Every structure is written in C-alpha cells, then in structure tokens.
C-alpha cells in the first residue's frame, strides 16, 4: 500500500504503543512548514515502516535526515498545490481511506479488535486518515507537475554512464523474457451441477443446525486462504478491482445472517454467508467449491493449445495476438502474457531465481530445452489458485551474464539518469519555493544535507 503523507502502519503501531502507555511521553514538533507541523511520531512511524521493509531490518545512518527532508518537501508541495488550486478528487480520497481502514481491519481481525488495540473507532480513524490522504494526493499532483517536463537525451544518458567507475558498474546475471498462453479447461455440466449440489447440501445442513458454516468452510472450502482466515473477508462496495464482480454483487444482496444460493465466479462456486453490514462495508464468510476438471477436459485443452502453438510457429499468428485471442490468464490483457520483473524496476526481464512461485517452478525445468524464440509443447500445471490448467511457454530472449553496458542495458541506465534529473529538478524547485513559506526545523536536524541547503536559502530572504 503506497504511503505518501498518509498514516502508515508504523504510525498506527506507535499510536497503540502510546495508548498503552497512556501517552506518558508528549510528542515533539520537529518541523513547521507554513501552518503544517511535523511531529517526531510522523518521522518515527515512517522509519518503522522502512525498517520493517528493509531486507536486513536495519536503516542507513542518514535515514532520519532523509525522512525529515521527505516530510518537509511534501508539506511544501501540499501548500504550493493549494496555492495553485490543483484538483484532488474527493472520490479518490474516500477510496484510499476505505482501503486503509480495510487493511488495518484485516491486520487486527475485526473492527472491535482494531479499536481495542489502537483506541480508535472506525469513524475516528476515518477522520484521522482523511486529511493526510488528501495531502498525499495534493503532494503527488504537485510532484507530477514538477517532473512532467523533465526529459533526458541520449547524450545525457551517455555522460551519466561514462561517469560511473568501471568497477562500480552493475553485474547482471542471465536474464530472460518469458511468456505463456494459458487455457483453463471448462468443466462439464455434470461437474458444475455436482459442485452446486454440494453447496446446496452445505446450506441445508447449516439451516437445519446440523453443521456450522465456519466448520464446513474449514473442512471443505477450496479457497487457498481458508486456513488463515476461515473464509472470512471484509468487502467494500466500491472495491470492484479486487473482487470478482459476481461474488461482490451477490454478497451485497444478502441480509445479516443470510446465506446465498450457489454463486458462480471466475474461481468456482461460492456459498456466501453475511456476517455483518456497516455502510459500504460488509463482512462475509464463504465456502468455495470448484467443479472438477476431468482428464478429457485437460486433453481437449492440450489439443487446442498445440494447434495454437503450431500456428504461431508457422507465422499464421503472432504470440501477442494468440495471447489476446486465446489466453485465459486474468493478467493477460495487462501484460500480454509476459512474466513481469520482480525487482521493482518494471519491465519483463526476469532471472531464473525469481521464478519462485509454485505455479512457475516447472518453467525452470523447461528452460533447459528452450532456445530464444522457441515455444514449448503444451504442459499441464496447477495455477496460483489451485486450478488445473494447460499452458505453452515462450522464451523470447535470454541474455548472457554481463557488466552493465549501453548496448544491452540502455533503458535501465536511461531510467536511472531520469530519476537523478527529476530529483535535481525537485530539489531546485524546493530551494526556490521554500523561502516563500515559513519553515522551522528542530536544531537536531539542521545539519542534514538538503535541510541545510534549504535553510541557507531562507537565511538570504
């Protein structure tokens, strides 16, 4: 979950710590920008997030300086955005706020537990989240306005690359671009009806008090998350990108305590029980049963996919066209069937050790027999949702291990050059704008690199 001038998980943990200690230690103001203050707890919450997300659980020596500089710059951007009347959509504010509430509710298990631990009701959290979230969106809008004109030329990229000491150039392991076309076999009507009948039997057993819904969910649900959450989810009416639309619509039609008829989604058939309604949020428990796929169904999909493969190899259709026409993978419309990098840099280059998902591990064995441009024969596998499926795998490219160079890695060098130029543009903007606002920084942080630059600009005014 992105955090830009928003209440972080670390900040909330600090709340609960201070609540438990009945706020024996008063918070400290470490910065003031215009009419906005920065508290020590703001910085500590952000640092707690950074430490939790750090691979080794530690922070660099200048983490406090960097964090305070970020908080000051964001306050300045918010104030300038308000001056410039940059628009912020109230719907975006509300959506982010509800997402944050749901995150913490799931973190603590229930609204009651969340209030018990943090000392804040859902209403109070909404009130505390609303302004920070709005400020976050304003800061982002201002940042986008600053960096939008920033571009880099090929000569700038080359100058940046040439300035890197040769022994400091990054070393890249062999990287691959891998695509796939997935067919999800359709179950027969008989198997569909069998799944529906099982759920109807579960409903009958619950209604007759013969069984408890939660016990049946734990015993029979094919939802991979049932072991952790017993099939219980908090849904929001507007969160249509996270949940299957048919599942979401069916859930919101229920009254408290009511159990749905079997509901079909992209994942199978569901029995949904409404546990609690509260405004646009509901808490439900569900049982998922998938219609079994037979060997005949898998064989039919294998034959079809083999034909698709032949047409691609014969040049009758391109791989990307085949993905768009045939692939059942939910992400295919967004990624064109290509695996995405897991380094956070974006793109489609991936190393073998990044193929660590259970549904990807068999691809590693296939790579030994594939050369760039090759497409595998159809292979059966189990997808990330536990469903039997068939796919063909396309090895588009494979790089050799190498030191970074402009021939193979231009886009990466270009991205880093652009990031640096954008950072310089933002710092230049801050040096120009900060003197137009009242800014005070606690003496402990006045020697931080950028803060000292900014304060020097203030002193000249």
């Amino acid at each position: 979950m992105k955090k830009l001038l928003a209440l972080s998980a670390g900040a909330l943990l600090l709340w609960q710590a201070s609540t438990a200690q009945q706020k024996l230690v008063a918070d400290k103001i470490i910065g003031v920008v215009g009419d906005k203050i920065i508290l020590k707890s703001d910085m500590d919450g952000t640092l707690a997030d950074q430490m939790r997300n750090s691979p080794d659980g530690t922070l660099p020596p200048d983490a406090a300086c960097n964090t305070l500089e970020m908080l000051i710059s964001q306050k300045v951007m918010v104030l300038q955005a308000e001056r410039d009347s940059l628009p912020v959509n109230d719907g975006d504010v509300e959506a982010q706020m509800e997402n944050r509430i749901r995150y913490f509710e799931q973190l603590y298990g229930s609204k009651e537990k969340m209030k018990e631990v943090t000392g804040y009701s859902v209403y109070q959290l909404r009130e505390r989240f609303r302004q920070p979230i709005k400020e976050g969106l304003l800061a982002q809008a201002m940042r986008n306005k600053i960096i939008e004109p920033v571009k880099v030329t090929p000569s700038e990229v080359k100058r940046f690359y040439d300035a890197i000491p040769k022994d400091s150039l990054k070393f890249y392991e062999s990287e691959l671009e891998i695509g796939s076309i997935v067919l999800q076999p359709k179950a027969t009507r008989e198997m569909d009806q069998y799944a529906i009948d099982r759920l109807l039997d579960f409903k009958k057993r619950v209604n007759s008090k013969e069984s408890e819904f939660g016990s049946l969910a734990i015993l029979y649900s094919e939802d991979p998350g049932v072991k952790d959450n017993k099939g219980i989810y908090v849904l929001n009416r507007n969160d249509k990108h996270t949940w299957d639309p048919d599942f979401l619509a069916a859930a919101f039609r229920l009254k408290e305590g009511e159990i749905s008829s079997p509901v079909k989604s992209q994942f199978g058939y569901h029995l949904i029980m409404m546990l609690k309604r509260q405004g646009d949020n509901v808490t439900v428990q569900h049982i998922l049963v998938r219609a079994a796929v037979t060997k005949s169904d898998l064989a039919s999909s294998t034959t079809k996919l083999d034909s698709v493969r032949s047409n691609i190899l014969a040049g009758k259709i391109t791989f990307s066209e085949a993905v768009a026409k045939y692939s059942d993978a939910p992400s295919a419309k967004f990624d064109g069937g290509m695996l995405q990098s897991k380094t956070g840099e974006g793109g489609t280059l991936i190393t073998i050790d990044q193929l660590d998902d259970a549904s990807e591990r068999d691809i590693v064995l296939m790579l030994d027999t594939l050369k760039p441009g090759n497409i595998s024969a159809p292979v059966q596998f189990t997808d990330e949702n536990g469903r039997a499926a068939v796919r063909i795998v396309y090895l588009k490219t494979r790089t050799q291990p190498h030191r970074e160079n402009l021939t193979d890695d231009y886009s990466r060098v270009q991205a880093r050059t652009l990031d640096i130029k954008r950072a310089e543009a933002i710092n230049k903007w801050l040096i120009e704008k900060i003197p137009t606002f009242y800014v005070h920084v606690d003496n402990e942080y006045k020697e931080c690199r950028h803060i000292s630059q900014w304060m020097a600009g203030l002193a000249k005014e």
Side-chain angles (χ1 to χ4, degrees):
M1 185 163 46
K2 294 182 179 178
K3 308 177 189 69
L4 181 63
L5 270 181
L7 188 64
S8 65
L12 189 61
L13 293 172
L14 283 168
W15 286 1
Q16 64 190 67
S18 63
T19 300
Q21 298 168 15
Q22 299 181 351
K23 298 190 175 181
L24 294 175
V25 180
D27 209 344
K28 178 183 179 182
I29 295 174
I30 58 174
V32 181
V33 183
D35 61 351
K36 303 182 185 301
I37 64 172
I38 301 170
L39 298 173
K40 182 72 161 52
S41 61
D42 295 334
M43 184 168 73
D44 289 344
T46 304
L47 289 171
D49 281 339
Q50 293 173 10
M51 183 172 293
R52 187 166 48 254
N53 295 325
S54 170
D56 59 1
T58 62
L59 295 174
D62 57 353
C65 278
N66 290 340
T67 298
L68 184 56
E69 288 169 357
M70 179 268 292
L71 292 172
I72 291 172
S73 67
Q74 288 179 346
K75 296 294 185 188
V76 173
M77 288 182 189
V78 170
L79 290 168
Q80 189 62 44
E82 291 173 344
R83 278 183 182 176
D84 295 350
S85 299
L86 297 186
V88 168
N89 188 304
D90 288 340
D92 291 340
V93 175
E94 295 300 313
Q96 284 202 22
M97 185 166 59
E98 292 305 322
N99 284 340
R100 197 148 290 132
I101 293 290
R102 287 200 302 280
Y103 169 77
F104 288 119
E105 188 174 341
Q106 291 172 358
L107 182 68
Y108 293 111
S110 69
K111 289 184 176 67
E112 292 75 17
K113 184 65 175 177
M114 182 172 68
K115 182 177 181 180
E116 177 187 335
V117 174
T118 67
Y120 295 91
S121 68
V122 171
Y123 173 79
Q124 290 171 319
L125 285 175
R126 284 196 180 100
E127 291 306 302
R128 297 183 78 94
F129 284 157
R130 184 173 282 107
Q131 187 59 27
I133 289 173
K134 184 176 181 179
E135 289 191 358
L137 292 172
L138 281 169
Q140 186 62 54
M142 192 69 243
R143 183 180 186 277
N144 290 342
K145 184 178 178 180
I146 298 166
I147 66 174
E148 186 177 4
V150 178
K151 306 286 188 254
V152 291
T153 64
S155 60
E156 287 177 311
V157 175
K158 188 174 187 305
R159 279 200 300 274
F160 170 76
Y161 174 80
D162 289 342
I164 303 173
K166 299 308 176 189
D167 58 357
S168 298
L169 289 171
K170 293 187 176 184
F171 182 83
Y172 297 112
E173 300 292 344
S174 178
E175 295 174 307
L176 311 100
E177 288 184 292
I178 302 169
S180 66
I181 299 176
V182 176
L183 289 189
Q184 191 70 57
K186 305 297 186 289
T188 62
R189 289 184 180 179
E190 291 78 12
M191 292 295 100
D192 277 338
Q193 190 58 52
Y194 178 72
I196 292 170
D197 290 342
R198 286 190 72 198
L199 292 177
L200 288 173
D201 179 59
F202 294 156
K203 182 177 181 179
K204 180 180 177 182
R205 288 162 62 180
V206 174
N207 287 335
S208 66
K209 309 284 195 240
E210 181 184 341
S211 301
E212 291 185 354
F213 193 97
S215 298
L216 293 174
I218 294 170
L219 288 171
Y220 300 111
S221 181
E222 297 178 62
D223 175 2
V226 72
K227 292 180 180 178
D228 299 320
N229 60 19
K230 300 179 182 178
I232 297 174
Y233 293 97
V234 179
L235 314 178
N236 180 270
R237 188 184 302 277
N238 301 313
D239 203 359
K240 298 176 182 176
H241 298 295
T242 302
W243 303 98
D244 179 276
D246 294 318
F247 178 86
L248 194 67
F252 274 90
R253 285 196 294 266
L254 298 172
K255 299 175 182 178
E256 284 194 9
E258 185 180 2
I259 301 174
S260 71
S261 297
V263 177
K264 186 175 183 180
S265 78
Q266 60 183 307
F267 303 105
Y269 290 91
H270 307 260
L271 202 61
I272 308 171
M273 183 175 183
M274 172 65 69
L275 300 179
K276 184 168 61 174
R277 300 186 71 102
Q278 189 171 18
D280 284 340
N281 291 328
V282 296
T283 304
V284 300
Q285 189 169 31
H286 85 125
I287 301 171
L288 170 66
V289 173
R290 298 191 180 100
V293 174
T294 66
K295 290 182 179 180
S296 176
D297 298 326
L298 286 166
S300 177
S301 293
T302 300
T303 300
K304 179 179 178 180
L305 205 46
D306 191 51
S307 176
V308 172
R309 174 180 181 268
S310 297
N311 286 336
I312 296 172
L313 294 175
K316 296 179 180 179
I317 188 173
T318 66
F319 177 80
S320 59
E321 289 170 342
V323 169
K325 187 173 182 179
Y326 298 109
S327 186
D328 293 327
S331 61
K333 66 176 74 174
F334 305 108
D335 58 26
M338 302 301 296
L339 292 180
Q340 301 299 297
S341 172
K342 300 180 182 180
T343 62
E345 297 179 351
T348 56
L349 287 171
I350 189 167
T351 59
I352 289 179
D353 61 1
Q354 290 172 9
L355 297 170
D356 52 4
D357 291 346
S359 61
E360 297 172 343
R361 289 170 191 157
D362 61 328
I363 293 178
V364 176
L365 301 176
M366 300 165 65
L367 293 174
D368 287 340
T369 60
L370 290 178
K371 295 180 180 179
N374 284 176
I375 300 175
S376 74
V379 175
Q380 296 179 16
F381 75 107
T382 302
D383 70 10
E384 63 272 16
N385 294 309
R387 298 174 298 184
V390 182
R391 68 180 164 202
I392 52 176
V393 174
Y394 167 47
L395 179 58
K396 184 177 180 181
T397 63
R398 185 201 300 262
T399 68
Q400 296 300 314
H402 66 281
R403 286 282 178 191
E404 186 172 68
N405 61 79
L406 288 180
T407 301
D408 298 316
D409 310 297
Y410 183 86
S411 61
R412 285 169 159 155
V413 180
Q414 181 188 46
R416 297 211 306 281
T417 308
L418 182 59
D419 285 343
I420 291 171
K421 194 170 180 181
R422 283 174 171 173
E424 290 171 347
I426 289 172
N427 193 47
K428 180 181 177 183
W429 182 90
L430 287 167
I431 290 172
E432 293 172 355
K433 292 296 180 184
I434 282 179
T436 69
F437 298 100
Y438 171 75
V439 178
H440 171 76
V441 179
D442 188 271
N443 289 334
E444 182 180 351
Y445 304 99
K446 284 187 176 178
E447 298 306 314
C448 295
R449 184 166 65 95
H450 286 117
I451 290 176
S452 63
Q453 276 185 309
W454 301 338
M455 300 311 287
L458 280 168
K460 296 177 183 176
E461 292 298 309

